[in-house]
């Protein structure tokens, strides 16, 4: 059983598309998908076809066409400074919105046919909900909810859903939920989770000796958000690895599991990471997006061969 787990990263999500293409070319069929933020776009896209490598290959091609059609940030978000100022002056909870993204992907989506979970954090509940859309309309709303970065984009729905990355940057808990369903403890099947992360796992800034006192507030806010996301991501990974190690101990020793571990499964977690990021997470640079798609493809092949 192969499960794709796509973390957040804005327009750097092109990396994930390339990685999924490489897995498909290596004849790896995807049986379940989990996504957060931009990862929800990739997971949502691929879920919309029936099982089989042929349908998967066609869907990856559709995803590539979407990414390669982006020309500027205006294709995914309202970039009007005037609108942003008006929202602040009228006490709105957001500077921008994802209406352009909604309009662009709506005709490209199909109702999920493969198991799918999309992470979003509810402001009312303050917990992560793993949304399981069944229809095309529900899928669109779940993607927008999972990608609604707080303050930048408005909360969604009655529960006030915001970007799942606030609490669950890498939706590994959702991926393990799928693993339990697709390869339960009682079966002989074992799950593989491919964690595709489009951002660099580092707290270090790309530019040496940056004078942050001279940077605009937007750059400072982006940097703070990036630091928080990376910490959340590393905590998610550590938790998953720790659980796998704990389960392996009981299996190897042949000891009965505690009740709270009874339904947990061991899954191989294969990480696919970039070695660099050619643009920012809210930038749209067409030639760089194509470059990053290819980088994702190459890194996935390395992960499989390593």
């Amino acid at each position: 059983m192969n499960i794709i787990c796509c973390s957040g990263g804005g327009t750097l999500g092109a990396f994930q598309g390339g990685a999924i293409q490489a897995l498909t070319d290596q004849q790896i069929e995807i049986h379940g998908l989990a996504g957060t933020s931009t990862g929800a776009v990739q997971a949502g896209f691929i879920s919309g076809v029936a099982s089989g490598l042929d349908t998967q290959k066609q869907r990856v091609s559709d995803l590539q066409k979407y990414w390669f059609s982006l020309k500027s940030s205006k294709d995914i978000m309202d970039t009007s400074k005037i609108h942003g100022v008006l929202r602040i002056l009228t006490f709105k909870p957001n500077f921008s919105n994802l209406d352009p993204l909604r309009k662009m992907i709506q005709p490209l989506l199909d109702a999920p046919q493969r198991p799918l979970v999309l992470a979003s954090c509810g402001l009312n509940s303050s917990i992560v909900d793993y949304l399981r859309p069944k229809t095309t309309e529900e899928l669109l709303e779940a993607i927008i909810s999972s990608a609604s970065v707080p303050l930048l984009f408005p909360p969604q729905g009655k529960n006030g859903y915001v970007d799942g990355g606030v609490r669950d940057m890498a939706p590994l808990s959702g991926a393990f939920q799928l693993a339990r369903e697709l390869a339960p403890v009682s079966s002989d099947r074992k799950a593989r989770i491919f964690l595709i992360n489009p951002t660099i796992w580092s707290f270090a800034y790309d530019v040496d000796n940056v004078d942050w006192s001279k940077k605009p507030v937007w750059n400072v806010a982006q940097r703070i958000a990036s630091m928080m996301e990376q910490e959340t991501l590393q905590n998610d990974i550590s938790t998953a690895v720790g659980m796998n190690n704990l389960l392996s101990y009981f299996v190897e020793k042949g000891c009965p599991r505690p009740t709270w571990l009874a339904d947990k499964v061991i899954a191989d977690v294969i990480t696919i990471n970039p070695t660099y990021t050619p643009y920012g997470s809210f930038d749209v640079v067409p030639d760089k997006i194509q470059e990053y798609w290819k980088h994702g493809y190459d890194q996935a092949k390395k992960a499989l061969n390593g």
Side-chain angles (χ1 to χ4, degrees):
M1 292 289 117
N2 300 307
I3 298 168
I4 296 297
C5 182
C6 294
S7 59
T11 53
L12 295 171
F15 176 90
Q16 296 170 330
I20 295 172
Q21 184 180 53
L23 298 180
T24 303
D25 287 350
Q26 295 297 313
Q27 306 300 302
I28 295 176
E29 182 178 355
I30 300 169
H31 302 101
L33 304 106
T36 290
S37 198
T38 188
V41 175
Q42 277 61 256
F45 252 87
I46 303 301
S47 73
V49 291
S51 60
L53 280 168
D54 289 339
T55 54
Q56 182 175 311
K57 185 174 183 179
Q58 180 57 54
R59 201 57 174 158
V60 172
S61 177
D62 295 338
L63 180 62
Q64 184 181 46
K65 290 177 182 177
Y66 156 72
W67 276 105
F68 287 11
S69 70
L70 298 179
K71 303 302 180 186
S72 74
S73 298
K74 294 180 180 179
D75 290 333
I76 58 173
M77 58 186 286
D78 182 357
T79 60
S80 171
K81 294 181 180 179
I82 294 177
H83 291 170
V85 171
L86 288 175
R87 291 188 185 98
I88 294 173
L89 294 176
T90 54
F91 302 101
K92 299 295 183 183
N94 57 295
F95 295 106
S96 181
N97 61 60
L98 288 171
D99 290 349
L101 175 65
R102 179 190 294 273
K103 183 178 179 180
M104 191 170 195
I105 66 174
Q106 184 172 16
L108 305 177
L109 297 175
D110 291 297
Q113 297 187 55
R114 304 188 188 201
L116 171 72
V117 294
L118 302 180
S120 189
C121 185
L123 293 179
N124 289 343
S125 63
S126 75
I127 63 174
V128 176
D129 284 337
Y130 290 109
L131 308 178
R132 296 203 175 200
K134 301 299 182 184
T135 67
T136 305
E137 292 74 18
E138 289 176 354
L139 175 59
L140 176 63
E141 294 308 316
I143 290 174
I144 298 300
S145 294
S146 185
S148 290
V149 178
L151 301 182
L152 184 58
F153 307 126
Q156 303 293 314
K158 294 182 179 179
N159 197 29
Y161 281 125
V162 295
D163 195 311
V166 171
R167 297 289 302 273
D168 199 15
M169 189 63 173
L172 280 166
S173 294
F176 272 93
Q177 282 184 17
L178 292 177
R180 289 195 296 273
E181 296 168 13
L182 298 172
V185 177
S186 58
S187 75
D188 294 328
R189 290 176 292 181
K190 188 173 182 180
R192 288 191 299 180
I193 297 175
F194 293 91
L195 172 59
I196 311 174
N197 173 54
T199 61
I200 297 292
W201 289 8
S202 173
F203 290 106
Y205 194 64
D206 294 336
V207 181
D208 292 333
N209 302 318
V210 174
D211 186 352
W212 288 102
S213 66
K214 297 181 179 179
K215 289 289 183 178
V217 64
W218 176 243
N219 289 145
V220 175
Q222 276 188 307
R223 179 57 185 147
I224 293 172
S226 175
M227 292 167 62
M228 295 173 64
E229 288 172 354
Q230 292 303 321
E231 182 174 8
T232 302
L233 181 60
Q234 291 185 18
N235 288 339
D236 291 341
I237 298 293
S238 297
T239 300
V241 171
M243 182 62 70
N244 262 349
N245 290 340
L246 183 60
L247 288 171
S248 296
Y249 172 82
F250 285 100
V251 171
E252 292 169 2
K253 297 295 183 180
C255 301
R257 300 185 187 186
T259 304
W260 61 280
L261 286 177
D263 65 340
K264 305 296 183 183
V265 296
I266 300 174
D268 292 332
V269 179
I270 301 169
T271 58
I272 302 173
N273 304 314
T275 59
Y276 72 100
T277 52
Y279 53 91
S281 58
F282 289 104
D283 298 330
V284 173
V285 187
D287 60 330
K288 295 297 182 180
I289 283 178
Q290 295 181 33
E291 173 190 330
Y292 210 41
W293 179 286
K294 184 179 183 304
H295 186 49
Y297 188 98
D298 293 340
Q299 290 300 104
K301 289 184 66 175
K302 287 182 180 178
L304 288 173
N305 295 331

